[in-house]
Amino acid sequence: MIDMIKLSIPFKGAYLINTSLSDDGFVSYVDIKECSRRGVSLEARSVTFCAFDADSSMMDDSDKYELSDLRHPYQSLPTSFTGMAFKIFQGTPLRPACVELKASPAKIIQGHNVYGSTCLEFGALEMIQALIHTLPDFFDMLDVPNTTLDLLDCTFSARVANSSQVKQVINQLKNISHKQMRKSVLNEHETTCYFSRGSRHVDRKAYSKGDEFKRQFEQLKSKASKGDCTHNRMIEVMSNPELQNFARNLIRFECSAKRRYLDEFNVPKNLFDAITFQYEYEENGSCLITDIWKKAFQPLLESLQGQTMNIFNDDEVYSKLKHLYKKALKPKIENGVAYNRFSYAKADRVFRFYRSLVSDGYDSVLDTFSSRATFYRQLSLLLDAGFSKAQLQNLKGNGLDNVVPLLQVIEIDFNNQRPSNWVEPIPPILAAYESGDFEALSNVVAFKAA
């Protein structure tokens, strides 16, 4: 699926101001004040208050200060569900004056990005429509047919058996380096692994989609409990039990294909040429987004050839330890209702100790502990959970049945990335265009009639 699109829309020449440079060149700046007159909120780097002359008549409020170096900060524009990043770049010798739009097409069209479309047209035109709807007068300043495609996030997921395996896989991936797939220096997150972060061509990462989904959902509910109603529709979508269940135990592999990387696939820089290119590319059954993803993660897949890992499927043991060693936290209050919360840190620690016994054997683990007292404290917690000492002492580290090829664990099924009953949502902009009653975008979608 496409998880992020970044577009740059240039301004029409009538709204540009040319400034000569010392080398006989020139830079075109956008008339930022005209942008403000058409509804765009600006900020000033410098505010100078005028001196007040007691002998003169009282100044108007507008004369008491001077603003200089106006600029447009990053702004979030509303869409059907979530916000879209919007920024005006006024123009430099390295970057022409333009508007940058950045959003997850899945989120703005359907309210979540657990799964979604691989169609560039659907996402990009929905983003443009959001800009039109919010700032229609400002939109007239833009040279939309020359919009450029700057970045595509391509994502596919692998499903594992349980949350414990998710963390095992992420930890295993943090040790991988192969060709241009270099692990990031900062990989401190338990549920996320970065590769080649900051590359000019492509960034890659692997992360637990279920944990990310849960974290975002809790953040939105927290905002709603404080009176922020802007995300109520998104909360309603994310409350779907089927959606929550689909996100559970997913490991997402995401690549951010930047302009240089897209050039390697001959993807045109012009957005509408790129849309046409995708349709032509996929006429024979191929998928452009899938092929970009496969090329980006090929070094990782090569490096995993022959690698194995111990897989622990002891869900029953883990559930019992969580029930036995959970710690009650202060209840969370939402809309006047108290929700119980628990910490499972102790259960996690005991379960890791149990896994080490299964993997390496009782005697081997005992020898690795510098403190015998610590070892026996952990052992006592397992005995309290119902294990017998003889049962644990007979573990010899022969857990070879739990050793499986890593590629088998994180096998990505490209044909099952979405629920079987999923129907691709048609953005309102295209539905309106197809019905023939939407004239505001005739210049944007004129290529469809060609």
Side-chain angles (χ1 to χ4, degrees), residues 144-254:
V144 179
N146 286 313
T147 300
T148 62
L149 173 65
D150 298 335
L151 177 143
L152 279 177
D153 275 9
C154 308
T155 71
F156 292 93
S157 303
R159 185 176 300 280
V160 296
N162 52 58
S163 60
S164 178
Q165 283 190 21
V166 172
K167 295 178 181 179
Q168 291 177 60
V169 171
I170 296 296
N171 287 331
Q172 186 92 351
L173 292 175
K174 289 181 180 180
N175 299 317
I176 301 294
S177 288
H178 182 62
K179 296 183 178 179
Q180 69 268 35
M181 275 295 277
R182 301 294 180 183
K183 60 182 179 180
S184 179
V185 175
L186 296 178
N187 256 331
E188 69 276 11
H189 301 291
E190 183 180 25
T191 58
T192 305
C193 175
Y194 295 96
F195 300 95
S196 308
R197 204 172 184 181
S199 167
R200 293 183 178 182
H201 293 258
V202 59
D203 289 335
R204 310 171 184 88
K205 66 179 179 180
Y207 60 96
S208 168
K209 183 57 187 177
D211 286 296
E212 186 207 44
F213 181 92
K214 182 179 179 180
R215 183 169 57 252
Q216 291 178 349
F217 189 36
E218 293 299 324
Q219 290 173 349
L220 294 178
K221 290 195 298 182
S222 177
K223 291 180 180 179
S225 67
K226 298 175 183 177
D228 184 354
C229 300
T230 56
H231 300 288
N232 284 355
R233 289 193 66 203
M234 198 169 177
I235 292 174
E236 181 181 355
V237 171
M238 297 179 73
S239 299
N240 186 339
E242 293 183 3
L243 178 63
Q244 295 176 358
N245 186 61
F246 193 89
R248 191 172 293 117
N249 303 330
L250 281 184
I251 302 175
R252 170 160 289 178
F253 294 84
E254 178 175 294

Side-chain angles (χ1 to χ4, degrees), residues 249-319:
N249 303 330
L250 281 184
I251 302 175
R252 170 160 289 178
F253 294 84
E254 178 175 294
C255 71
S256 294
K258 303 176 184 179
R259 187 62 252 172
R260 293 185 180 184
Y261 204 73
L262 295 175
D263 288 340
E264 296 181 20
F265 277 85
N266 298 316
V267 177
K269 188 172 184 179
N270 180 275
L271 169 64
F272 304 106
D273 291 340
I275 290 173
T276 302
F277 174 84
Q278 183 183 28
Y279 283 125
E280 293 175 349
Y281 185 95
E282 298 180 352
E283 285 179 350
N284 62 354
S286 301
C287 177
L288 177 62
I289 305 306
T290 300
D291 290 347
I292 292 175
W293 184 94
K294 286 181 177 179
K295 178 178 174 63
F297 278 100
Q298 186 59 35
L300 175 65
L301 300 178
E302 289 178 356
S303 68
L304 297 181
Q305 292 285 350
Q307 291 206 28
T308 61
M309 66 177 292
N310 285 334
I311 291 298
F312 301 91
N313 294 317
D314 305 284
D315 293 338
E316 184 177 343
V317 174
Y318 186 48
S319 297

Side-chain angles (χ1 to χ4, degrees), residues 27-85:
V27 176
S28 295
Y29 299 94
V30 66
D31 186 347
I32 196 69
K33 291 184 179 179
E34 181 62 24
C35 296
S36 179
R37 296 186 191 102
R38 292 171 180 256
V40 178
S41 299
L42 304 179
E43 66 180 16
R45 290 180 184 268
S46 176
V47 180
T48 304
F49 286 87
C50 301
F52 181 75
D53 187 352
D55 296 331
S56 66
S57 60
M58 183 66 69
M59 296 181 179
D60 295 333
D61 288 344
S62 60
D63 295 327
K64 291 183 179 180
Y65 53 85
E66 295 179 353
L67 305 178
S68 59
D69 201 1
L70 297 175
R71 63 176 181 174
H72 178 240
Y74 270 102
Q75 183 179 346
S76 179
L77 298 184
T79 69
S80 299
F81 288 96
T82 187
M84 175 178 67

Side-chain angles (χ1 to χ4, degrees), residues 430-445:
L430 288 182
Y433 173 81
E434 296 296 343
S435 66
D437 61 358
F438 196 78
E439 299 179 358
L441 278 183
S442 59
N443 62 325
V444 178
V445 292

Side-chain angles (χ1 to χ4, degrees), residues 367-427:
D367 292 340
T368 61
F369 271 72
S370 57
S371 170
R372 292 294 179 97
T374 301
F375 175 88
Y376 286 114
R377 278 199 302 271
Q378 299 292 325
L379 182 65
S380 178
L381 293 172
L382 281 178
L383 298 180
D384 292 341
F387 286 93
S388 70
K389 192 170 185 179
Q391 178 186 7
L392 296 175
Q393 287 178 330
N394 281 324
L395 295 174
K396 304 300 182 181
N398 296 322
L400 296 180
D401 292 337
N402 289 330
V403 177
V404 297
L406 190 52
L407 278 177
Q408 179 180 322
V409 179
I410 58 174
E411 181 179 3
I412 295 178
D413 186 349
F414 292 99
N415 295 319
N416 288 289
Q417 293 292 308
R418 300 177 286 244
S420 58
N421 61 349
W422 181 76
V423 178
E424 186 161 28
I426 304 298

